[in-house]
Coordinates of all heavy atoms in Angstrom, one line a residue:
F1 N 19.4 -8.1 50.6 CA 18.9 -8.1 52.0 C 18.0 -7.0 52.4 O 18.1 -5.9 51.8 CB 20.0 -8.3 53.0 CG 21.0 -9.4 52.6 CD1 22.2 -9.2 52.1 CD2 20.6 -10.7 52.9 CE1 23.1 -10.2 51.8 CE2 21.4 -11.8 52.5 CZ 22.7 -11.5 52.0
V2 N 17.1 -7.2 53.3 CA 16.1 -6.2 53.7 C 16.9 -5.0 54.3 O 17.8 -5.1 55.0 CB 15.2 -6.8 54.9 CG1 14.3 -5.7 55.4 CG2 14.4 -8.0 54.4
G3 N 16.5 -3.8 53.8 CA 17.1 -2.6 54.2 C 18.3 -2.3 53.5 O 19.0 -1.3 53.8
A4 N 18.7 -3.1 52.5 CA 19.9 -2.8 51.7 C 19.8 -1.5 50.9 O 18.7 -1.2 50.4 CB 20.2 -3.9 50.7
P5 N 20.8 -0.6 50.9 CA 20.6 0.6 50.1 C 20.5 0.4 48.6 O 21.0 -0.6 48.1 CB 21.9 1.4 50.5 CG 22.9 0.3 50.8 CD 22.1 -0.8 51.5
S6 N 19.9 1.3 48.0 CA 19.7 1.2 46.5 C 20.2 2.5 45.8 O 20.1 3.6 46.4 CB 18.3 0.9 46.2 OG 18.1 0.9 44.8
N7 N 20.6 2.4 44.6 CA 21.0 3.6 43.9 C 19.8 4.3 43.3 O 19.9 5.5 42.9 CB 21.9 3.2 42.7 CG 23.3 2.9 43.1 OD1 23.7 3.4 44.2 ND2 24.0 2.0 42.4
K8 N 18.6 3.6 43.3 CA 17.5 4.2 42.6 C 16.7 5.0 43.7 O 16.5 4.5 44.8 CB 16.6 3.1 42.0 CG 17.3 2.5 40.8 CD 16.3 1.6 40.1 CE 16.9 1.0 38.9 NZ 17.3 1.9 37.9
K9 N 16.2 6.2 43.3 CA 15.4 7.0 44.2 C 14.0 7.1 43.7 O 13.7 7.0 42.5 CB 16.0 8.4 44.2 CG 17.4 8.5 44.7 CD 17.9 9.9 44.7 CE 19.4 10.0 45.2 NZ 19.9 11.4 45.1
P10 N 13.0 7.2 44.6 CA 11.6 7.2 44.2 C 11.3 8.4 43.4 O 11.9 9.5 43.6 CB 10.8 7.2 45.5 CG 11.8 7.7 46.5 CD 13.1 7.3 46.1
K11 N 10.5 8.3 42.4 CA 10.1 9.4 41.5 C 8.9 10.1 42.1 O 8.0 9.5 42.7 CB 9.8 8.8 40.1 CG 9.3 9.9 39.1 CD 9.0 9.2 37.8 CE 8.5 10.3 36.8 NZ 8.1 9.7 35.6
S12 N 8.9 11.4 41.9 CA 7.7 12.2 42.4 C 6.8 12.5 41.2 O 7.3 12.8 40.1 CB 8.2 13.5 43.0 OG 9.0 13.3 44.2
R13 N 5.6 12.6 41.4 CA 4.6 12.9 40.4 C 3.7 14.0 40.9 O 3.3 14.0 42.1 CB 3.7 11.7 40.0 CG 4.5 10.6 39.3 CD 3.6 9.4 38.8 NE 4.3 8.5 38.0 CZ 3.8 7.4 37.5 NH1 2.5 7.1 37.8 NH2 4.5 6.6 36.8
R14 N 3.3 14.9 40.0 CA 2.4 16.0 40.4 C 1.0 15.5 40.4 O 0.5 14.8 39.5 CB 2.6 17.1 39.4 CG 1.8 18.4 39.8 CD 2.1 19.5 38.8 NE 3.5 19.7 38.6 CZ 4.2 20.6 39.4 NH1 3.5 21.2 40.4 NH2 5.5 20.8 39.2
A15 N 0.3 15.8 41.4 CA -1.1 15.3 41.5 C -2.0 16.2 40.6 O -1.8 17.4 40.4 CB -1.6 15.6 43.0
S16 N -3.0 15.5 39.9 CA -3.8 16.2 39.0 C -4.7 17.2 39.7 O -5.2 16.9 40.8 CB -4.7 15.2 38.3 OG -5.4 14.4 39.2
G17 N -4.8 18.4 39.1 CA -5.7 19.4 39.7 C -5.0 20.2 40.8 O -5.7 21.1 41.4
S18 N -3.8 20.0 41.1 CA -3.2 20.8 42.2 C -2.1 21.6 41.6 O -1.4 21.2 40.7 CB -2.6 19.9 43.3 OG -1.6 19.0 42.7
G19 N -1.9 22.8 42.1 CA -0.9 23.7 41.5 C 0.5 23.2 41.7 O 1.3 23.2 40.8
S20 N 0.8 22.8 42.9 CA 2.3 22.5 43.2 C 2.4 21.3 44.1 O 3.5 20.9 44.5 CB 3.0 23.6 43.9 OG 2.3 24.0 45.1
A21 N 1.3 20.6 44.4 CA 1.4 19.4 45.2 C 2.2 18.3 44.6 O 2.0 18.1 43.3 CB 0.0 19.0 45.6
V22 N 2.9 17.5 45.3 CA 3.7 16.5 44.7 C 3.5 15.2 45.5 O 3.4 15.2 46.7 CB 5.3 16.9 44.8 CG1 6.1 15.7 44.3 CG2 5.6 18.1 43.9
I23 N 3.3 14.1 44.8 CA 3.0 12.9 45.4 C 4.2 12.0 45.2 O 4.7 11.8 44.1 CB 1.8 12.2 44.8 CG1 0.5 13.1 45.1 CG2 1.6 10.8 45.4 CD1 -0.7 12.5 44.4
A24 N 4.8 11.5 46.3 CA 6.0 10.6 46.2 C 5.5 9.2 46.1 O 4.6 8.8 46.8 CB 6.9 10.7 47.4
G25 N 6.0 8.4 45.1 CA 5.6 7.1 45.0 C 6.7 6.2 44.7 O 7.9 6.6 44.4
P26 N 6.5 4.9 44.6 CA 7.6 3.9 44.4 C 7.9 3.7 42.9 O 8.4 2.6 42.6 CB 7.0 2.6 45.0 CG 5.5 2.8 44.8 CD 5.2 4.2 44.9
W27 N 7.5 4.6 42.1 CA 7.8 4.4 40.6 C 9.3 4.5 40.3 O 10.0 5.2 41.0 CB 7.0 5.5 39.9 CG 5.6 5.5 40.2 CD1 4.6 4.7 39.7 CD2 5.0 6.5 41.1 NE1 3.4 5.0 40.2 CE2 3.6 6.1 41.1 CE3 5.4 7.6 41.8 CZ2 2.6 6.8 41.8 CZ3 4.5 8.3 42.6 CH2 3.1 7.9 42.6
A28 N 9.6 3.7 39.4 CA 11.1 3.6 39.0 C 11.6 4.9 38.5 O 10.9 5.6 37.7 CB 11.3 2.5 38.0
T29 N 12.8 5.3 38.8 CA 13.4 6.5 38.3 C 13.8 6.2 36.9 O 14.4 5.2 36.5 CB 14.7 6.8 39.1 OG1 14.3 7.0 40.5 CG2 15.3 8.1 38.6
P30 N 13.5 7.2 35.9 CA 13.9 7.0 34.5 C 15.4 6.9 34.4 O 16.1 7.5 35.2 CB 13.3 8.2 33.8 CG 13.2 9.3 34.9 CD 12.9 8.5 36.2
E31 N 15.8 6.1 33.4 CA 17.2 6.0 33.1 C 17.9 7.3 32.8 O 17.2 8.2 32.1 CB 17.4 5.0 32.0 CG 17.1 3.6 32.3 CD 17.9 3.0 33.4 OE1 19.1 3.3 33.5 OE2 17.4 2.3 34.3
P32 N 19.1 7.6 33.1 CA 19.7 8.9 32.8 C 19.9 8.9 31.3 O 19.9 8.0 30.5 CB 21.1 8.7 33.4 CG 21.3 7.3 33.7 CD 20.0 6.7 33.9
A33 N 20.0 10.2 30.8 CA 20.0 10.5 29.4 C 21.3 9.8 28.7 O 21.2 9.4 27.6 CB 20.0 12.0 29.1
H34 N 22.3 9.7 29.5 CA 23.6 9.2 28.9 C 24.1 8.1 29.9 O 24.4 8.4 31.0 CB 24.6 10.3 28.8 CG 25.9 9.8 28.1 ND1 25.9 9.6 26.7 CD2 27.1 9.5 28.5 CE1 27.1 9.2 26.4 NE2 27.8 9.1 27.5
T35 N 24.1 6.9 29.5 CA 24.5 5.7 30.4 C 25.9 5.3 30.1 O 26.5 5.7 29.1 CB 23.6 4.6 30.2 OG1 23.7 4.1 28.8 CG2 22.1 5.0 30.4
A36 N 26.4 4.4 30.9 CA 27.8 3.8 30.8 C 27.8 3.1 29.5 O 28.9 3.0 28.8 CB 28.1 3.0 31.9
V37 N 26.7 2.4 29.1 CA 26.7 1.6 27.8 C 26.9 2.6 26.7 O 27.6 2.3 25.7 CB 25.4 0.9 27.7 CG1 25.3 0.1 26.3 CG2 25.3 -0.2 28.8
D38 N 26.1 3.7 26.7 CA 26.3 4.7 25.7 C 27.7 5.2 25.6 O 28.3 5.5 24.5 CB 25.3 6.0 25.9 CG 23.9 5.6 25.8 OD1 23.6 4.7 25.0 OD2 23.1 6.2 26.4
Q39 N 28.4 5.4 26.7 CA 29.8 5.9 26.7 C 30.7 4.9 26.1 O 31.5 5.3 25.3 CB 30.2 6.2 28.2 CG 31.6 6.8 28.3 CD 31.6 8.2 27.7 OE1 30.8 9.0 28.0 NE2 32.6 8.5 26.8
L40 N 30.5 3.6 26.3 CA 31.3 2.6 25.7 C 31.1 2.6 24.2 O 32.1 2.4 23.5 CB 31.0 1.2 26.3 CG 31.5 0.9 27.7 CD1 31.0 -0.4 28.2 CD2 33.0 0.8 27.7
E41 N 29.9 2.7 23.8 CA 29.6 2.7 22.3 C 30.2 3.9 21.7 O 30.8 3.8 20.6 CB 28.1 2.7 22.1 CG 27.7 2.5 20.6 CD 26.2 2.4 20.5 OE1 25.5 2.5 21.5 OE2 25.7 2.3 19.3
L42 N 30.1 5.1 22.3 CA 30.7 6.3 21.8 C 32.2 6.2 21.7 O 32.8 6.5 20.7 CB 30.3 7.5 22.7 CG 30.9 8.9 22.2 CD1 30.5 9.2 20.8 CD2 30.5 9.9 23.2
D43 N 32.8 5.6 22.8 CA 34.3 5.4 22.7 C 34.7 4.5 21.6 O 35.8 4.8 21.0 CB 34.7 4.9 24.1 CG 34.6 5.9 25.2 OD1 34.5 7.1 24.9 OD2 34.7 5.5 26.4
G44 N 33.9 3.5 21.3 CA 34.3 2.6 20.2 C 34.2 3.3 18.9 O 35.1 3.0 18.1
L45 N 33.2 4.1 18.7 CA 33.1 4.8 17.4 C 34.3 5.8 17.3 O 34.9 6.0 16.2 CB 31.8 5.6 17.3 CG 30.5 4.7 17.2 CD1 29.2 5.5 17.3 CD2 30.5 3.9 15.9
L46 N 34.6 6.5 18.4 CA 35.7 7.5 18.4 C 37.0 6.8 18.1 O 37.9 7.3 17.3 CB 35.7 8.3 19.6 CG 34.5 9.2 19.9 CD1 34.6 9.9 21.2 CD2 34.4 10.3 18.8
D47 N 37.2 5.7 18.7 CA 38.4 4.9 18.4 C 38.6 4.5 16.9 O 39.6 4.5 16.4 CB 38.5 3.6 19.3 CG 38.7 4.0 20.8 OD1 39.3 5.1 21.0 OD2 38.4 3.2 21.6

């Protein structure tokens, strides 16, 4: 539904040619380094 909260946050990108300016955009946030799927796979190997 419209206005529903989301777990994903917009990613910020540094503008070319600027020292510290940051441009916020609707780009997708990259997946975390370690996901729940990875944890399940790791647990299976450890078991």
Side-chain angles (χ1 to χ4, degrees):
F1 303 108
V2 176
S6 173
N7 285 331
K8 295 189 178 296
K9 298 179 181 179
K11 178 182 177 182
S12 297
R13 290 184 176 177
R14 187 179 302 277
S16 59
S18 60
S20 59
V22 175
I23 299 175
W27 304 281
T29 303
E31 293 296 324
H34 187 76
T35 66
V37 176
D38 293 331
Q39 185 66 50
L40 283 172
E41 186 177 0
L42 177 60
D43 289 343
L45 292 173
L46 293 176
D47 289 337

